[in-house]
Amino acid sequence: MTRLNVLLFVALVASGLYLVHVSYQARRLFTQVERAQAEERALDVAHEQLQLEKRTQATPLRVEKVARERLQMRTPTAAVTQYVQYEGAASAEHGARP
């Protein structure tokens, strides 16, 4: 009978230690999940800010302003427009053979 009591006592102690270990692991994993969710929220906020900045930078007025100032581009006029015509296309329009 005492052997059985000792065996049950050892099983009870082992079970208690295992329970403590499992509880510790669960708390540790829970804190990792909480940190990951906080990081996810921070990344979502940063992503939204970047999307807003992207939309702000890509407005047509800003693109035109940058094109004029930095790239020194200008609106095309008839005076600076050059038309290129393919020889085969010109003769095909007039019914001539190539």
Side-chain angles (χ1 to χ4, degrees):
M1 184 76 169
T2 58
R3 234 183 248 176
L4 181 61
N5 287 342
V6 170
L7 183 63
L8 290 175
F9 178 74
V10 169
L12 179 67
V13 170
S15 174
L17 289 174
Y18 182 71
L19 178 65
V20 169
H21 175 72
V22 168
S23 297
Y24 170 75
Q25 291 286 40
R27 281 194 300 271
R28 191 174 58 81
L29 291 174
F30 181 75
T31 57
Q32 286 180 351
V33 167
E34 288 293 318
R35 283 187 198 132
Q37 288 174 343
E39 185 178 350
E40 177 189 17
R41 286 188 294 272
L43 289 174
D44 282 341
V45 168
H47 181 262
E48 288 299 321
Q49 288 174 345
L50 289 173
Q51 290 293 332
L52 177 64
E53 185 177 334
K54 178 181 166 185
R55 285 190 298 269
T56 303
Q57 296 291 327
T59 59
L61 292 175
R62 186 177 184 295
V63 170
E64 185 175 345
K65 179 182 175 187
V66 169
R68 287 182 190 277
E69 292 175 0
R70 289 189 192 164
L71 302 176
Q72 299 174 350
M73 297 175 82
R74 62 184 190 276
T75 307
T77 62
V80 295
T81 304
Q82 296 180 1
Y83 295 97
V84 178
Q85 194 169 25
Y86 178 64
E87 290 180 16
S91 59
E93 289 178 6
H94 298 342
R97 285 190 258 170

